[in-house]
């Protein structure tokens, strides 16, 4: 079996989004070709509520899926489908924007806010699919253990252990905790793009010491190997999915395939025709 080499590393940069949320932006527009179908990755890590309580008030999305995962903290979710939910520590949400959704995410004051939000592109033929919301609670997250490693499987499989099954892009997402000085090997599908994000702690990957808050994209191969340095623990997220290889037209919260589709979406926003699928439940107030 061939071990994947390191292809690219990106250190997250401090940024501000939403109504003034201070975060670390790891992946963005400049990275879409290399990380396809992964579009954006934001990291949250703060003990100061002033960094995040302003939140992300009601805003639109189309053509993507957003995955929010919390290790610590709480975020309240509300959307135009009528969903109201709270993401607690150790839980996730998988929101399919599809043809169009309005939602808000409002972090709640806590001792620490730690987690990430990932944007996943949708295939051309499914971008206008009905929007949907999935709450990934503790009972939906698969749990596996290797020597020195605890692995939480949000989506996809690891051996016989599974997380949720996704509809549009079969992405695999793990939360991996490594004991001091231990190493873990993770099998990968050769046709998929694979990267890890170092949530807490530095990592040793293929003999190279890599700083926390770094995304590491791998080249071709059948497995990756990640180690915690001697005397230090490590926590990282693992992401894998088959690239779409489709053109991307990205404007703020909307990602389509052509400029014309993107401009049409913003026209619909202005004209009030953006939302194509509504829940029979009462609309948001």
């Amino acid at each position: 079996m061939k071990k994947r080499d390191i292809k690219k590393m990106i250190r997250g940069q401090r940024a501000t989004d939403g109504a003034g949320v201070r975060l670390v932006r790891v992946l963005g527009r400049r990275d879409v070709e290399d990380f396809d179908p992964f579009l954006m990755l934001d990291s949250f890590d703060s003990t100061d509520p002033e960094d995040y309580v302003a939140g992300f008030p009601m805003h639109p999305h189309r053509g993507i899926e957003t995955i929010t995962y919390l290790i610590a903290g709480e975020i309240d979710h509300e959307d135009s489908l009528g969903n109201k939910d709270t993401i607690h520590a150790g839980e996730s949400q998988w929101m399919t924007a599809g043809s169009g959704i309005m939602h808000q995410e409002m972090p709640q004051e806590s001792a620490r806010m730690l987690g990430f939000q990932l944007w996943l592109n949708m295939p051309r033929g499914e971008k206008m699919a009905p929007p949907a919301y999935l709450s990934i609670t503790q009972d939906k997250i698969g749990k596996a253990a290797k020597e020195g490693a605890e692995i939480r499987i949000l989506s996809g499989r690891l051996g016989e252990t599974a997380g949720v099954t996704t509809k549009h892009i079969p992405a695999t997402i793990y939360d991996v905790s490594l004991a001091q000085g231990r190493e873990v090997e993770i099998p990968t599908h050769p046709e998929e793009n694979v990267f890890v994000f170092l949530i807490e702690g530095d990592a040793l990957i293929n003999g190279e010491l890599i700083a926390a808050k770094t995304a590491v994209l791998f080249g071709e191969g059948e497995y990756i190997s990640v180690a915690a340095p001697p005397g230090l623990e490590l926590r990282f997220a693992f992401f894998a999915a088959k690239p779409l290889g489709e053109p991307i037209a990205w404007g703020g919260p909307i990602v389509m395939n052509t400029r014309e589709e993107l401009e049409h979406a913003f026209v619909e926003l202005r004209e009030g025709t953006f939302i194509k699928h509504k829940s029979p439940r009462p609309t948001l107030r």
Side-chain angles (χ1 to χ4, degrees):
M1 290 177 62
K2 179 184 177 182
K3 182 164 74 170
R4 291 181 183 245
D5 295 324
I6 296 174
K7 181 178 179 180
K8 185 176 184 178
M9 293 188 291
I10 298 176
R11 187 75 187 276
Q13 301 295 318
R14 295 193 180 279
T16 302
D17 208 337
V21 176
R22 291 185 282 273
L23 47 80
V24 172
R25 177 139 300 157
V26 187
L27 303 181
R29 298 187 193 198
R30 67 188 184 279
D31 310 304
V32 294
E33 185 173 339
D34 288 335
F35 286 80
D36 179 22
F38 303 103
L39 295 169
M40 192 179 80
L41 178 65
D42 284 344
S43 169
F44 316 120
D45 189 354
S46 177
T47 56
D48 182 0
E50 291 300 313
D51 285 342
Y52 56 80
V53 290
F56 304 89
M58 198 66 69
H59 60 279
H61 284 294
R62 176 179 285 180
I64 64 172
E65 297 187 287
T66 67
I67 299 96
T68 305
Y69 177 60
L70 286 183
I71 295 170
E74 287 188 356
I75 296 178
D76 288 345
H77 165 95
E78 194 168 348
D79 64 42
S80 54
L81 294 176
N83 296 300
K84 291 185 178 182
D85 192 19
T86 298
I87 314 168
H88 301 95
E91 297 180 345
S92 178
Q93 69 166 23
W94 195 296
M95 189 187 78
T96 301
S99 64
I101 196 169
M102 302 290 291
H103 84 139
Q104 67 178 22
E105 294 168 299
M106 304 302 292
Q108 302 302 300
E109 185 172 336
S110 57
R112 186 181 185 187
M113 182 67 60
L114 177 64
F116 62 79
Q117 183 173 98
L118 176 76
W119 286 17
L120 186 60
N121 203 5
M122 294 180 70
R124 183 197 302 267
E126 301 175 45
K127 281 188 176 291
M128 295 300 286
Y133 177 83
L134 173 63
S135 176
I136 305 178
T137 49
Q138 293 275 2
D139 58 305
K140 295 185 176 78
I141 296 176
K143 298 173 180 64
K146 294 190 173 187
E147 192 172 350
E150 294 182 0
I151 304 174
R152 293 167 55 82
I153 303 161
L154 278 67
S155 62
R157 303 186 67 88
L158 181 61
E160 298 300 314
T161 308
V164 300
T165 300
T166 58
K167 182 177 181 181
H168 300 284
I169 291 285
T172 299
I173 304 175
Y174 305 150
D175 168 16
V176 184
S177 297
L178 270 181
Q180 299 177 9
R182 306 310 289 264
E183 185 173 8
V184 64
E185 292 184 354
I186 301 176
T188 63
H189 295 289
E191 71 276 12
E192 292 186 335
N193 274 341
V194 173
F195 78 98
V196 298
F197 173 62
L198 309 182
I199 299 171
E200 288 187 292
D202 301 341
L204 284 168
I205 301 178
N206 298 0
E208 186 169 355
L209 182 63
I210 302 171
K213 309 304 182 190
T214 299
V216 181
L217 177 68
F218 293 88
E220 297 179 353
E222 296 165 291
Y223 75 99
I224 66 167
S225 177
V226 180
L232 297 174
E233 296 180 348
L234 169 65
R235 191 162 193 168
F236 68 92
F238 169 93
F239 306 93
K242 189 175 180 179
L244 292 173
E246 297 177 353
I248 292 174
W250 185 346
I254 298 171
V255 182
M256 304 302 290
N257 293 110
T258 68
R259 191 71 195 175
E260 291 74 19
E261 291 170 338
L262 189 61
E263 291 173 353
H264 180 68
F266 282 103
V267 167
E268 290 188 325
L269 271 173
R270 291 193 296 271
E271 294 179 347
T273 58
F274 181 78
I275 300 299
K276 306 298 182 186
H277 299 88
K278 295 182 180 180
S279 168
R281 285 173 282 186
T283 56
L284 300 178
R285 290 178 294 178

